[in-house]
């Protein structure tokens, strides 16, 4: 990352940089706030039940509106778009959006999905120009997985999606598992074993205190250092260098050469200092941190006479003013941060 003394406002590649010297590099785009799962840690049924008010159709950004923002952010430095949600594959005709984004030069497109609808859509997504897929799979144990998604979806359906994506040429696939002490930690070695020797890369994520509805407690967080020790005792590991500046997962490889595994230390070792991600919610609010309290309304600007140039200036000023570092502050002093309203993961897209 370039030195930043407050006088420069772009990095060497021309990207906008924020007040802490971090370039704008990734845009995570939530295409829907709806989901077919009710993971307890994200959309607990008690809150996201039948009377929950999801975003209305006319409030959701159209593909044209998303593409317009994406183009402008690419001009400001974004090199990677990630489609997320809610469950992004519930958004009708997603391959059309992928195709539109694929026309933006020098950028790549990734998707994060629970993969239950992947097998039937992946060929169209791949030919539309999707570059990479991350699949969420919290346990390879069917009973534990069904309990965690709380909608009785079987593991087999997710594995089918992963295989189909692999066949469509989208491998290696990252397999993300959120770890909750006492819920799925006894099944993690089996998850690692299942994908060892395949091209896919399992990444364990510390359970985060996003939103206010998931009943997060620090004592349910299994620190990644404990997890590394757990896996290492079964399958000896050695750490490997990050692939790029700002990579969130700590990377390891199996000493016997059977592939790679990662650990995302969102709680115990924050990575705010290299966080280069902006997020837009499905209704067009821009957030510069996963734990932000308020976003900036882009939709109103997209729907009035605001020009591209004015939007560019607006987006650029938001990034230049950015000083978020919630996780870093949380690890220093939790007290001050508790009780603040926070947006939900299913709204902002993880
Ligand atoms: N529905 C898609 C999926 O699950 O892959 C995309 C959206 S989901 C909000 C994005 C990611 O956020 C998933 O990998 C999920 O496991 C993760 N996530 C949700 N709530 C979380 C939490 N409280 N702590 C850590 N990760 C969380
Ligand atoms: Fe849905 Fe993904 Fe949230 Fe689970 S983590 S409820 S699959 S949005
Ligand atoms: Fe980035 Fe905010 Fe997470 Fe820190 S807490 S890594 S600034 S999203």
């Amino acid at each position: 990352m370039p030195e930043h003394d407050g006088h420069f406002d772009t990095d060497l590649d021309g990207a906008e940089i924020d007040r802490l010297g971090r370039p704008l590099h990734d845009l995570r785009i939530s295409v829907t706030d709806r989901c077919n799962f009710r993971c307890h840690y994200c959309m607990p049924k008690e809150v996201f039940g039948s009377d929950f008010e999801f975003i209305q159709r006319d409030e959701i950004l159209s593909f044209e509106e998303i593409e317009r923002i994406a183009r402008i952010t690419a001009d400001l430095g974004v090199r990677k778009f990630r489609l997320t949600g809610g469950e992004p594959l519930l958004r009708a005709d997603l391959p059309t959006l992928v195709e539109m984004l694929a026309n933006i030069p020098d950028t790549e497109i990734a998707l994060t999905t629970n993969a239950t609808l992947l097998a039937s859509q992946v060929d169209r997504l791949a030919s539309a120009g999707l570059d990479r897929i991350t699949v969420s799979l919290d346990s390879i144990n069917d009973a534990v997985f069904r309990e965690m998604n709380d909608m009785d979806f079987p593991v087999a359906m997710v594995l089918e999606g992963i295989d189909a994506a692999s066949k469509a040429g989208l491998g290696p696939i990252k397999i993300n598992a959120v770890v909750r002490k006492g819920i799925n930690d006894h099944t993690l070695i089996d998850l690692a074993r299942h994908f060892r020797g395949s091209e896919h890369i399992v990444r364990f994520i510390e359970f985060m205190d996003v939103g206010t509805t998931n009943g997060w407690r620090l004592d349910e967080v299994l620190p990644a250092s404990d997890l590394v020790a757990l896996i290492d005792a079964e399958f000896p590991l050695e750490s490997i260098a990050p692939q790029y500046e700002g990579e969130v997962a700590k990377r390891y490889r199996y000493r016997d050469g059977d592939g790679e595994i990662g650990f995302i230390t969102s709680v115990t070792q924050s990575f705010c200092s290299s966080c280069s991600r902006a997020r837009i919610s499905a209704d067009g609010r821009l957030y510069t941190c996963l734990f932000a309290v308020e976003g900036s309304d882009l939709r109103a600007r997209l729907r009035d006479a605001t020009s591209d140039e004015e939007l560019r200036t607006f987006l650029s000023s938001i990034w230049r003013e950015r000083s978020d570092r919630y996780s870093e502050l949380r690890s220093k002093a939790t007290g001050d941060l508790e009780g603040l309203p926070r947006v939900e993961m299913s709204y902002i897209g993880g």
Side-chain angles (χ1 to χ4, degrees), residues 49-345:
S50 50
D51 55 355
F52 184 78
E53 281 187 29
F54 288 99
I55 305 172
Q56 294 305 302
R57 183 177 262 266
D58 61 338
E59 296 170 335
I60 297 249
L61 293 192
S62 68
F63 288 169
E64 288 70 23
E65 289 168 333
I66 292 174
E67 191 226 24
R68 193 169 160 216
I69 296 175
R71 273 191 191 280
I72 295 169
T73 59
D75 204 33
L76 296 174
V78 166
R79 290 290 160 265
K80 185 161 115 195
F81 303 116
R82 178 172 294 279
L83 302 176
T84 177
E87 174 44 46
L89 297 181
L90 287 177
R91 177 82 186 243
D93 209 17
L94 196 67
T96 299
L97 176 64
V98 171
E99 210 171 320
M100 290 161 76
L101 298 179
N103 285 325
I104 302 176
D106 304 323
T107 54
E108 60 170 9
I109 310 168
L111 170 77
T112 301
T113 173
N114 65 30
T116 50
L117 300 165
L118 192 55
S120 60
Q121 298 192 30
V122 76
D123 289 338
R124 276 192 68 210
L125 290 164
S127 43
L130 185 69
D131 295 297
R132 289 196 278 128
I133 296 193
T134 298
V135 168
S136 304
L137 176 61
D138 296 329
S139 181
I140 196 77
N141 175 308
D142 198 55
V144 172
F145 182 66
R146 284 175 193 258
E147 211 297 300
M148 286 184 83
N149 67 60
D150 209 13
M151 292 297 278
D152 217 24
F153 277 94
V155 168
M157 217 165 158
V158 179
L159 296 180
E160 203 187 312
I162 293 170
D163 283 350
S166 216
K167 287 199 183 96
L170 288 168
I173 290 157
K174 290 189 177 131
I175 316 280
N176 279 358
V178 174
V179 177
R180 289 183 78 178
K181 213 190 265 184
I183 309 273
N184 63 341
D185 51 343
H186 59 296
T187 69
L188 302 180
I189 288 181
D190 286 343
L191 184 66
R193 181 181 290 114
H194 183 91
F195 289 103
R196 244 166 68 85
S198 75
E199 58 174 345
H200 310 310
I201 302 166
V202 172
R203 304 179 328 158
F204 295 114
I205 307 179
E206 289 175 347
F207 176 33
M208 284 188 281
D209 50 336
V210 193
T212 51
T213 59
N214 65 10
W216 182 85
R217 294 199 328 256
L218 186 58
D219 60 13
E220 271 192 32
V221 178
L222 191 60
S225 52
D226 291 8
L227 270 171
V228 173
L230 183 87
I231 306 289
D232 180 61
E234 186 73 20
F235 307 118
L237 298 175
E238 60 191 357
S239 74
I240 48 178
Q243 274 171 314
Y244 53 88
E245 167 84 42
E247 187 171 31
V248 296
K250 307 247 178 325
R251 299 171 68 214
Y252 287 79
R253 72 172 150 240
Y254 296 113
R255 284 181 188 268
D256 64 6
D258 254 351
E260 187 180 323
I261 188 166
F263 299 87
I264 301 181
T265 57
S266 353
V267 177
T268 58
Q269 296 168 55
S270 67
F271 32 78
C272 299
S273 62
S274 58
C275 179
S276 53
R277 272 159 246 119
R279 299 171 153 86
I280 47 172
S281 60
D283 58 351
R285 299 188 77 83
L286 179 81
Y287 293 85
T288 54
C289 177
L290 192 49
F291 297 91
V293 179
E294 268 184 57
S296 309
D297 188 2
L298 298 182
R299 191 185 62 203
R301 291 173 170 80
L302 288 163
R303 295 185 182 178
D304 66 16
T306 307
S307 68
D308 281 2
E309 195 44 45
E310 286 164 336
L311 261 176
R312 188 185 190 286
T313 307
F314 181 62
L315 288 165
S316 149
S317 66
I318 291 172
W319 192 264
R320 288 182 192 191
E321 284 304 309
R322 173 184 191 244
S323 59
D324 309 87
R325 51 190 188 108
Y326 176 91
S327 292
E328 214 171 277
L329 297 174
R330 178 216 299 109
S331 48
K332 286 184 186 144
T334 346
D336 296 341
L337 305 166
E338 277 170 8
L340 279 178
R342 288 197 292 253
V343 293
E344 296 300 324
M345 194 73 140

Side-chain angles (χ1 to χ4, degrees), residues 32-44 84-88 112-114 136 138 148-149 178 345-347 349:
T32 177
D33 61 335
R34 291 165 201 251
C35 190
N36 50 351
F37 280 17
R38 285 294 177 272
C39 305
H40 298 275
Y41 57 70
C42 178
M43 294 180 79
T84 177
E87 174 44 46
T112 301
T113 173
N114 65 30
S136 304
D138 296 329
M148 286 184 83
N149 67 60
V178 174
M345 194 73 140
S346 55
Y347 172 73

Side-chain angles (χ1 to χ4, degrees), residues 1-6 8 10 17 21:
M1 189 172 300
E3 287 293 312
H4 183 53
D5 63 3
F8 303 106
T10 58
I17 56 176

